[in-house]
Tab-separated table of all heavy atoms in Angstrom:
chain	number	residue	atom	x	y	z
A	1	GLY	N	19.091	-2.087	72.895
A	1	GLY	CA	19.678	-1.211	71.879
A	1	GLY	C	20.128	-1.980	70.652
A	1	GLY	O	19.925	-1.532	69.514
A	2	ILE	N	20.716	-3.129	70.856
A	2	ILE	CA	21.158	-3.959	69.724
A	2	ILE	C	19.961	-4.453	68.932
A	2	ILE	O	19.948	-4.406	67.690
A	2	ILE	CB	22.017	-5.136	70.236
A	2	ILE	CG1	23.350	-4.617	70.773
A	2	ILE	CG2	22.251	-6.158	69.126
A	2	ILE	CD1	24.168	-5.651	71.508
A	3	ILE	N	18.916	-4.888	69.624
A	3	ILE	CA	17.714	-5.387	68.941
A	3	ILE	C	17.054	-4.279	68.134
A	3	ILE	O	16.680	-4.479	66.964
A	3	ILE	CB	16.729	-5.996	69.970
A	3	ILE	CG1	17.310	-7.282	70.546
A	3	ILE	CG2	15.367	-6.246	69.346
A	3	ILE	CD1	16.579	-7.807	71.755
A	4	ILE	N	16.920	-3.083	68.724
A	4	ILE	CA	16.305	-1.959	68.009
A	4	ILE	C	17.154	-1.555	66.808
A	4	ILE	O	16.626	-1.265	65.729
A	4	ILE	CB	16.081	-0.775	68.969
A	4	ILE	CG1	14.973	-1.121	69.967
A	4	ILE	CG2	15.734	0.501	68.210
A	4	ILE	CD1	14.797	-0.104	71.072
A	5	GLY	N	18.460	-1.539	66.964
A	5	GLY	CA	19.346	-1.176	65.863
A	5	GLY	C	19.266	-2.150	64.698
A	5	GLY	O	19.185	-1.738	63.534
A	6	VAL	N	19.277	-3.422	64.989
A	6	VAL	CA	19.171	-4.437	63.939
A	6	VAL	C	17.821	-4.347	63.238
A	6	VAL	O	17.724	-4.424	62.008
A	6	VAL	CB	19.414	-5.851	64.524
A	6	VAL	CG1	19.058	-6.921	63.521
A	6	VAL	CG2	20.863	-5.995	64.958
A	7	ALA	N	16.756	-4.142	64.016
A	7	ALA	CA	15.422	-4.019	63.426
A	7	ALA	C	15.335	-2.788	62.524
A	7	ALA	O	14.722	-2.838	61.448
A	7	ALA	CB	14.366	-3.949	64.525
A	8	ALA	N	15.957	-1.687	62.930
A	8	ALA	CA	15.940	-0.469	62.115
A	8	ALA	C	16.673	-0.677	60.795
A	8	ALA	O	16.213	-0.220	59.737
A	8	ALA	CB	16.561	0.685	62.890
A	9	VAL	N	17.798	-1.359	60.833
A	9	VAL	CA	18.547	-1.626	59.602
A	9	VAL	C	17.733	-2.524	58.672
A	9	VAL	O	17.645	-2.281	57.463
A	9	VAL	CB	19.918	-2.267	59.928
A	9	VAL	CG1	20.589	-2.796	58.678
A	9	VAL	CG2	20.814	-1.262	60.612
A	10	ILE	N	17.117	-3.547	59.206
A	10	ILE	CA	16.306	-4.469	58.393
A	10	ILE	C	15.134	-3.728	57.766
A	10	ILE	O	14.830	-3.901	56.576
A	10	ILE	CB	15.826	-5.661	59.244
A	10	ILE	CG1	17.010	-6.555	59.594
A	10	ILE	CG2	14.751	-6.456	58.515
A	10	ILE	CD1	16.696	-7.644	60.590
A	11	MET	N	14.465	-2.864	58.534
A	11	MET	CA	13.329	-2.115	58.000
A	11	MET	C	13.763	-1.125	56.921
A	11	MET	O	13.069	-0.954	55.912
A	11	MET	CB	12.599	-1.382	59.128
A	11	MET	CG	11.817	-2.318	60.006
A	11	MET	SD	10.888	-1.608	61.397
A	11	MET	CE	11.042	0.113	61.272
A	12	THR	N	14.903	-0.491	57.100
A	12	THR	CA	15.396	0.461	56.098
A	12	THR	C	15.723	-0.244	54.789
A	12	THR	O	15.362	0.231	53.707
A	12	THR	CB	16.639	1.189	56.635
A	12	THR	OG1	16.304	1.839	57.859
A	12	THR	CG2	17.154	2.206	55.642
A	13	ILE	N	16.396	-1.369	54.872
A	13	ILE	CA	16.740	-2.128	53.670
A	13	ILE	C	15.479	-2.635	52.976
A	13	ILE	O	15.349	-2.566	51.752
A	13	ILE	CB	17.695	-3.290	54.019
A	13	ILE	CG1	19.059	-2.732	54.422
A	13	ILE	CG2	17.840	-4.254	52.852
A	13	ILE	CD1	20.024	-3.756	54.963
A	14	SER	N	14.526	-3.119	53.761
A	14	SER	CA	13.273	-3.616	53.182
A	14	SER	C	12.494	-2.500	52.493
A	14	SER	O	11.927	-2.704	51.411
A	14	SER	CB	12.394	-4.248	54.264
A	14	SER	OG	13.046	-5.352	54.833
A	15	ALA	N	12.458	-1.330	53.100
A	15	ALA	CA	11.750	-0.198	52.490
A	15	ALA	C	12.418	0.216	51.181
A	15	ALA	O	11.737	0.515	50.193
A	15	ALA	CB	11.711	0.978	53.454
A	16	GLY	N	13.731	0.213	51.145
A	16	GLY	CA	14.447	0.550	49.918
A	16	GLY	C	14.192	-0.451	48.806
A	16	GLY	O	13.970	-0.077	47.649
A	17	GLN	N	14.195	-1.723	49.143
A	17	GLN	CA	13.929	-2.749	48.139
A	17	GLN	C	12.488	-2.684	47.652
A	17	GLN	O	12.205	-2.860	46.465
A	17	GLN	CB	14.235	-4.136	48.704
A	17	GLN	CG	15.716	-4.398	48.865
A	17	GLN	CD	15.998	-5.751	49.504
A	17	GLN	OE1	15.107	-6.406	50.027
A	17	GLN	NE2	17.256	-6.163	49.446
A	18	GLY	N	11.565	-2.400	48.559
A	18	GLY	CA	10.162	-2.273	48.165
A	18	GLY	C	9.944	-1.097	47.239
A	18	GLY	O	9.193	-1.193	46.256
A	19	ALA	N	10.591	0.018	47.525
A	19	ALA	CA	10.471	1.195	46.660
A	19	ALA	C	11.072	0.918	45.287
A	19	ALA	O	10.508	1.327	44.263
A	19	ALA	CB	11.158	2.385	47.309
A	20	THR	N	12.191	0.230	45.248
A	20	THR	CA	12.816	-0.118	43.968
A	20	THR	C	11.891	-0.993	43.134
A	20	THR	O	11.708	-0.759	41.933
A	20	THR	CB	14.151	-0.850	44.209
A	20	THR	OG1	15.016	0.002	44.953
A	20	THR	CG2	14.820	-1.225	42.906
A	21	GLN	N	11.291	-1.988	43.752
A	21	GLN	CA	10.371	-2.874	43.022
A	21	GLN	C	9.142	-2.112	42.535
A	21	GLN	O	8.651	-2.361	41.429
A	21	GLN	CB	9.951	-4.040	43.911
A	21	GLN	CG	11.069	-5.035	44.148
A	21	GLN	CD	10.659	-6.148	45.104
A	21	GLN	OE1	9.580	-6.126	45.672
A	21	GLN	NE2	11.557	-7.112	45.300
A	22	GLU	N	8.644	-1.181	43.330
A	22	GLU	CA	7.472	-0.393	42.935
A	22	GLU	C	7.782	0.474	41.721
A	22	GLU	O	6.997	0.537	40.774
A	22	GLU	CB	7.000	0.474	44.101
A	22	GLU	CG	5.810	1.338	43.792
A	22	GLU	CD	4.543	0.547	43.513
A	22	GLU	OE1	4.423	-0.588	44.005
A	22	GLU	OE2	3.671	1.069	42.804
A	23	VAL	N	8.929	1.126	41.728
A	23	VAL	CA	9.314	1.967	40.592
A	23	VAL	C	9.510	1.114	39.345
A	23	VAL	O	9.062	1.478	38.250
A	23	VAL	CB	10.587	2.775	40.922
A	23	VAL	CG1	11.164	3.445	39.686
A	23	VAL	CG2	10.293	3.811	41.987
A	24	GLN	N	10.155	-0.021	39.486
A	24	GLN	CA	10.360	-0.901	38.337
A	24	GLN	C	9.034	-1.406	37.777
A	24	GLN	O	8.859	-1.488	36.558
A	24	GLN	CB	11.252	-2.082	38.718
A	24	GLN	CG	12.705	-1.707	38.896
A	24	GLN	CD	13.557	-2.881	39.356
A	24	GLN	OE1	13.053	-3.923	39.750
A	24	GLN	NE2	14.866	-2.703	39.316
A	25	SER	N	8.083	-1.720	38.637
A	25	SER	CA	6.794	-2.198	38.139
A	25	SER	C	6.022	-1.077	37.458
A	25	SER	O	5.334	-1.313	36.466
A	25	SER	CB	5.964	-2.799	39.270
A	25	SER	OG	5.539	-1.798	40.167
A	26	GLN	N	6.144	0.153	37.944
A	26	GLN	CA	5.475	1.285	37.291
A	26	GLN	C	6.088	1.560	35.923
A	26	GLN	O	5.365	1.847	34.963
A	26	GLN	CB	5.554	2.529	38.166
A	26	GLN	CG	4.646	2.479	39.362
A	26	GLN	CD	4.749	3.721	40.216
A	26	GLN	OE1	5.522	4.633	39.926
A	26	GLN	NE2	3.976	3.773	41.289
A	27	ILE	N	7.404	1.476	35.825
A	27	ILE	CA	8.065	1.710	34.535
A	27	ILE	C	7.711	0.605	33.549
A	27	ILE	O	7.423	0.873	32.378
A	27	ILE	CB	9.595	1.828	34.714
A	27	ILE	CG1	9.914	3.137	35.436
A	27	ILE	CG2	10.318	1.774	33.380
A	27	ILE	CD1	11.370	3.303	35.797
A	28	SER	N	7.698	-0.640	34.004
A	28	SER	CA	7.356	-1.733	33.090
A	28	SER	C	5.884	-1.673	32.687
A	28	SER	O	5.511	-2.133	31.614
A	28	SER	CB	7.680	-3.084	33.713
A	28	SER	OG	6.849	-3.329	34.823
A	29	GLY	N	5.048	-1.086	33.525
A	29	GLY	CA	3.638	-0.946	33.197
A	29	GLY	C	3.387	0.086	32.101
A	29	GLY	O	2.338	0.085	31.468
A	30	LEU	N	4.341	0.973	31.872
A	30	LEU	CA	4.185	1.965	30.817
A	30	LEU	C	4.236	1.327	29.433
A	30	LEU	O	3.632	1.825	28.501
A	30	LEU	CB	5.287	3.031	30.913
A	30	LEU	CG	5.246	3.958	32.120
A	30	LEU	CD1	6.473	4.842	32.123
A	30	LEU	CD2	3.993	4.798	32.099
A	31	GLY	N	4.983	0.266	29.313
A	31	GLY	CA	5.147	-0.379	28.014
A	31	GLY	C	6.411	0.131	27.346
A	31	GLY	O	6.878	1.233	27.597
A	32	THR	N	6.945	-0.681	26.466
A	32	THR	CA	8.207	-0.310	25.837
A	32	THR	C	8.039	0.750	24.771
A	32	THR	O	8.973	1.479	24.470
A	32	THR	CB	8.875	-1.544	25.203
A	32	THR	OG1	7.963	-2.126	24.282
A	32	THR	CG2	9.265	-2.550	26.261
A	33	ASN	N	6.861	0.889	24.184
A	33	ASN	CA	6.700	1.863	23.116
A	33	ASN	C	6.383	3.262	23.638
A	33	ASN	O	6.278	4.201	22.863
A	33	ASN	CB	5.595	1.416	22.138
A	33	ASN	CG	4.266	1.253	22.840
A	33	ASN	OD1	4.213	1.244	24.058
A	33	ASN	ND2	3.224	1.120	22.057
A	34	LEU	N	6.240	3.436	24.947
A	34	LEU	CA	5.911	4.743	25.492
A	34	LEU	C	7.107	5.469	26.082
A	34	LEU	O	6.994	6.627	26.443
A	34	LEU	CB	4.838	4.606	26.571
A	34	LEU	CG	3.500	4.073	26.108
A	34	LEU	CD1	2.567	3.923	27.291
A	34	LEU	CD2	2.885	5.012	25.084
A	35	LEU	N	8.227	4.820	26.189
A	35	LEU	CA	9.407	5.430	26.778
A	35	LEU	C	10.245	6.061	25.685
A	35	LEU	O	10.756	5.379	24.808
A	35	LEU	CB	10.220	4.379	27.543
A	35	LEU	CG	11.424	4.898	28.313
A	35	LEU	CD1	10.965	5.875	29.385
A	35	LEU	CD2	12.140	3.736	28.965
A	36	MET	N	10.348	7.391	25.706
A	36	MET	CA	11.106	8.104	24.679
A	36	MET	C	12.209	8.907	25.348
A	36	MET	O	11.966	9.621	26.323
A	36	MET	CB	10.184	9.035	23.889
A	36	MET	CG	9.137	8.283	23.094
A	36	MET	SD	7.922	9.350	22.293
A	36	MET	CE	8.932	10.538	21.493
A	37	ILE	N	13.400	8.798	24.803
A	37	ILE	CA	14.540	9.549	25.304
A	37	ILE	C	15.025	10.429	24.170
A	37	ILE	O	15.270	9.959	23.059
A	37	ILE	CB	15.671	8.609	25.768
A	37	ILE	CG1	15.158	7.713	26.891
A	37	ILE	CG2	16.878	9.395	26.214
A	37	ILE	CD1	16.125	6.657	27.319
A	38	SER	N	15.141	11.705	24.429
A	38	SER	CA	15.602	12.614	23.381
A	38	SER	C	16.636	13.558	23.959
A	38	SER	O	16.727	13.745	25.175
A	38	SER	CB	14.424	13.404	22.798
A	38	SER	OG	13.851	14.206	23.805
A	39	THR	N	17.407	14.159	23.069
A	39	THR	CA	18.412	15.127	23.486
A	39	THR	C	17.992	16.508	23.017
A	39	THR	O	17.260	16.666	22.040
A	39	THR	CB	19.790	14.794	22.895
A	39	THR	OG1	19.693	14.830	21.477
A	39	THR	CG2	20.252	13.427	23.345
A	40	LYS	N	18.475	17.490	23.675
A	40	LYS	CA	18.188	18.861	23.299
A	40	LYS	C	19.341	19.341	22.427
A	40	LYS	O	20.500	19.298	22.820
A	40	LYS	CB	18.070	19.734	24.539
A	40	LYS	CG	17.776	21.174	24.227
A	40	LYS	CD	17.683	21.978	25.494
A	40	LYS	CE	17.476	23.444	25.140
A	40	LYS	NZ	17.463	24.272	26.347
A	41	THR	N	19.013	19.801	21.215
A	41	THR	CA	20.058	20.318	20.336
A	41	THR	C	20.066	21.832	20.443
A	41	THR	O	19.030	22.479	20.605
A	41	THR	CB	19.818	19.907	18.875
A	41	THR	OG1	18.534	20.380	18.485
A	41	THR	CG2	19.877	18.401	18.729
A	42	GLU	N	21.232	22.373	20.368
A	42	GLU	CA	21.384	23.809	20.507
A	42	GLU	C	21.970	24.361	19.219
A	42	GLU	O	22.979	23.873	18.722
A	42	GLU	CB	22.312	24.103	21.686
A	42	GLU	CG	22.448	25.562	21.984
A	42	GLU	CD	23.301	25.799	23.210
A	42	GLU	OE1	23.143	25.048	24.184
A	42	GLU	OE2	24.115	26.710	23.173
A	43	HIS	N	21.325	25.349	18.665
A	43	HIS	CA	21.807	26.004	17.445
A	43	HIS	C	22.462	27.308	17.848
A	43	HIS	O	21.800	28.237	18.287
A	43	HIS	CB	20.641	26.269	16.474
A	43	HIS	CG	19.964	25.019	16.025
A	43	HIS	ND1	20.528	24.151	15.132
A	43	HIS	CD2	18.766	24.466	16.382
A	43	HIS	CE1	19.715	23.133	14.926
A	43	HIS	NE2	18.634	23.304	15.690
A	44	ARG	N	23.752	27.395	17.693
A	44	ARG	CA	24.478	28.593	18.080
A	44	ARG	C	24.593	29.535	16.889
A	44	ARG	O	25.163	29.189	15.863
A	44	ARG	CB	25.867	28.226	18.588
A	44	ARG	CG	25.796	27.415	19.853
A	44	ARG	CD	27.157	27.132	20.363
A	44	ARG	NE	27.034	26.226	21.511
A	44	ARG	CZ	28.051	25.671	22.103
A	44	ARG	NH1	29.260	25.896	21.692
A	44	ARG	NH2	27.865	24.895	23.128
A	45	GLY	N	24.051	30.709	17.042
A	45	GLY	CA	24.189	31.728	16.006
A	45	GLY	C	23.230	31.570	14.851
A	45	GLY	O	23.216	32.397	13.944
A	46	TYR	N	22.442	30.545	14.821
A	46	TYR	CA	21.512	30.318	13.718
A	46	TYR	C	20.093	30.304	14.246
A	46	TYR	O	19.829	29.791	15.323
A	46	TYR	CB	21.798	28.992	13.003
A	46	TYR	CG	23.096	28.999	12.241
A	46	TYR	CD1	24.238	28.446	12.796
A	46	TYR	CD2	23.161	29.552	10.974
A	46	TYR	CE1	25.426	28.449	12.098
A	46	TYR	CE2	24.351	29.564	10.275
A	46	TYR	CZ	25.477	29.019	10.841
A	46	TYR	OH	26.645	29.041	10.148
A	47	ARG	N	19.222	30.848	13.464
A	47	ARG	CA	17.814	30.845	13.821
A	47	ARG	C	17.045	30.206	12.674
A	47	ARG	O	17.161	30.641	11.528
A	47	ARG	CB	17.361	32.275	14.042
A	47	ARG	CG	16.013	32.396	14.594
A	47	ARG	CD	15.769	33.827	14.967
A	47	ARG	NE	14.348	34.071	14.989
A	47	ARG	CZ	13.814	35.246	14.997
A	47	ARG	NH1	14.584	36.300	14.971
A	47	ARG	NH2	12.526	35.382	15.027
């Protein structure tokens, strides 16, 4: 039980770190000029 528990924790942490690295590599692969952040403006009472 102790061996299985330790192995499960190690695998969970490794999977999380692998997913983080994959997402970071996909974002960096987009390039810096392709990432755009914008806000939504709301016009109250005006059209």
